[in-house]
Amino acid sequence: MSVSPGNEAQSNDGQGAEASILRQPRAVWAVAFAAVIAFMGIGLVDPILPAISAELHASPSESMLLFTSYLFITGGMMFFTSFVSSRIGAKTTLLIGLVLIVAFSALAGFSGSVDQIIGFRAGWGLGNALFISTALSTIVGAASGGADKAIILYEAALGIGIATGPLLGGLLGGISWRGPFFGTAVLMAIGFIAIVILLPGGKSGGGSVTPSPEPIKLSATFRALARPGICVLGIAALLYNFGFFILLAYSPFPVEAAAAKMGIEDFGAMGLGYVFFGWGMCVAITSVFGAPILTKRMGRRRSLVVALIGLAVLLAVMGFLVESFVGIIVCVIAAGLILGVLNTVFTESAMEATDLPRPVASGTYSGVRFIGGAVAPIVAGAVSESISTGAPYFFGAASVLLSVVVIGIGWNALRRVDGHLDEAPVDEAYALTGGDA
């Protein structure tokens, strides 16, 4: 693969730095559009979890396994995506990911049981890992105006996707719980067509938008776990992600229960969609604007500790306010402000903690991190059914505090993460790809 002449000139001579961020090649917009839809998949099912539980006669814990299967496969595949894309090329990897998302999201919509949806969400996670892990580097290679503007476009796609996923889920879920799955399939099919037509050829096709990387060994991401910095941050992020997905996967149930207790009978999927739209907007805002301000003032290590303690306190408060309609909604939305900071600072730290190639460090960190997200829904469902509705939040708070302990124990191993707060744009790109996928 090679960089197209126009883009190479813009990247190297600095003239493209003055170009408007909106004046991009069509290939960039094609990938950015598909990235928005891919990120929607993270929170798309949130508003319809109670409806799936009711209509398919599944317990809340069974319904939350939709997150477990999706995240487990996404995380597992992150160990291998750099190996795959370095051999078959970016465009081919993107298209395979999109085909899998279209197929499995459509199959989920046709499902007749929650077990079938769980299985199809696993296939969806495979496609999502292949697509998201490759999209950022493709946008960087194709964008005009330099890598910094490409990253802003990617951040915008990420934020729009995270925020609008629950809203789309609520809108289509108000018609039927099957609606969000079919809607995703249609939108991703449009993204597939756009990339086929607008994105230059893959590794073997010539004219690719990204430089051909050195082939990455299959064992590279696993061997990276031996690096102290990556190991410490991976375990800390695993524990943090446990709290993150307790909040994301479990919260629709107590919110809807509190609405019913207040006599708000028509709250439903649309109401949940608005709640998590507010949550997603907060995540997006602080990911882009809040995290840089905090890290410049406090450094990354201290920023992580402060934000993690704040999240633990908020989760504990949610445990006490779980039956308060207004209280639980305010806490869910406010949590987005903290989560946005943590997502960005964790991933930037993981990229700076080692001298490994960025795709390798990113894949290793992300693979470990998503294990926490996969386990959280299983624990939340079991704990809420056997102890109390507020207990999952207390478990999440405890897990987040353990993350602080891990960072404290590995404090010296993380000294490197505070040494490069003004990272190069392409390095930051890899950080964002790994952390927010």
Side-chain angles (χ1 to χ4, degrees):
M1 292 185 291
S2 60
V3 180
S4 61
N7 288 333
E8 184 176 35
Q10 288 171 327
S11 299
N12 295 336
D13 65 15
Q15 295 176 0
E18 302 301 323
S20 168
I21 191 173
L22 299 178
R23 300 179 67 178
Q24 299 292 341
R26 290 179 297 175
V28 171
W29 293 117
V31 178
F33 169 76
V36 169
I37 310 306
F39 284 120
M40 283 183 179
I42 295 174
L44 185 79
V45 300
D46 244 35
I48 58 173
L49 286 178
I52 289 174
S53 180
E55 294 193 29
L56 297 181
H57 309 291
S59 68
S61 59
E62 289 176 320
S63 297
M64 283 188 287
L65 288 176
L66 271 66
F67 276 100
T68 295
S69 60
Y70 174 84
L71 292 169
F72 183 78
I73 298 300
T74 297
M77 273 304 301
M78 292 302 290
F79 284 101
F80 306 102
T81 50
S82 58
F83 169 82
V84 173
S85 63
S86 69
R87 283 162 171 77
I88 67 174
K91 181 174 182 178
T92 303
T93 305
L94 288 171
L95 293 177
I96 291 173
L98 288 172
V99 167
L100 291 172
I101 295 171
V102 170
F104 285 106
S105 57
L107 288 170
F110 285 113
S111 297
S113 71
V114 72
D115 289 338
Q116 290 179 354
I117 303 177
I118 291 168
F120 293 138
R121 279 281 285 180
W124 187 340
L126 171 60
N128 223 38
L130 289 170
F131 176 81
I132 292 177
S133 65
T134 312
L136 192 279
S137 59
T138 304
I139 290 177
V140 168
S144 58
D148 55 341
K149 287 185 171 60
I151 292 167
I152 293 173
L153 285 173
Y154 184 79
E155 289 173 345
L158 185 154
I160 293 170
I162 287 179
T164 56
L167 196 61
L168 178 66
L171 180 64
L172 297 178
I175 302 171
S176 167
W177 66 262
R178 301 177 189 273
F181 297 120
F182 291 133
T184 298
V186 171
L187 289 172
M188 290 307 267
I190 295 172
F192 177 90
I193 294 170
I195 288 176
V196 167
I197 296 173
L198 301 176
L199 191 66
K203 185 172 184 178
S204 61
S208 177
V209 296
T210 55
S212 178
E214 291 294 326
I216 294 174
K217 293 182 179 180
L218 187 61
S219 62
T221 49
F222 297 99
R223 287 188 285 108
L225 289 172
R227 302 293 183 99
I230 288 292
C231 184
V232 169
L233 284 169
I235 295 172
L238 182 153
L239 293 166
Y240 154 64
N241 246 30
F242 183 90
F244 180 111
F245 280 97
I246 285 237
L247 187 147
L248 182 61
Y250 176 65
S251 292
F253 294 97
V255 168
E256 186 167 77
K261 187 176 180 180
M262 289 282 291
I264 308 175
E265 298 180 357
D266 59 346
F267 187 74
M270 197 65 241
L272 288 170
Y274 282 124
V275 170
F276 283 95
F277 172 74
W279 168 85
M281 287 299 297
C282 289
V283 171
I285 290 169
T286 53
S287 292
V288 176
F289 301 108
I293 294 173
L294 192 62
T295 54
K296 285 185 182 296
R297 292 185 177 183
M298 303 179 63
R300 291 194 179 102
R301 290 181 293 179
R302 288 183 174 82
S303 296
L304 284 175
V305 169
V306 169
L308 285 167
I309 292 173
L311 178 60
V313 170
L314 184 58
L315 286 168
V317 169
M318 293 176 73
F320 290 110
L321 297 180
V322 71
E323 295 185 0
S324 168
F325 178 67
V326 174
I328 195 70
I329 287 178
V330 169
C331 286
V332 167
I333 294 174
L337 296 171
I338 303 175
L339 298 173
V341 170
L342 285 167
N343 282 348
T344 298
V345 180
F346 256 120
T347 52
E348 288 181 350
S349 297
M351 298 308 103
E352 292 297 340
T354 177
D355 57 358
L356 288 170
R358 303 309 188 188
V360 174
S362 172
T364 303
Y365 160 77
S366 298
V368 174
R369 173 187 175 184
F370 278 109
I371 295 173
V375 171
I378 302 174
V379 174
V383 166
S384 67
E385 292 170 4
S386 60
I387 301 179
S388 70
T389 54
Y393 293 120
F394 293 122
F395 271 73
S399 177
V400 172
L401 287 177
L402 280 176
S403 180
V404 176
V405 172
V406 169
I407 290 173
I409 293 173
W411 191 260
N412 289 333
L414 300 178
R415 284 179 300 177
R416 180 186 172 103
V417 308
D418 283 328
H420 306 281
L421 291 180
D422 296 318
E423 60 269 271
V426 173
D427 291 352
E428 182 181 350
Y430 283 122
L432 289 166
T433 301
D436 295 306

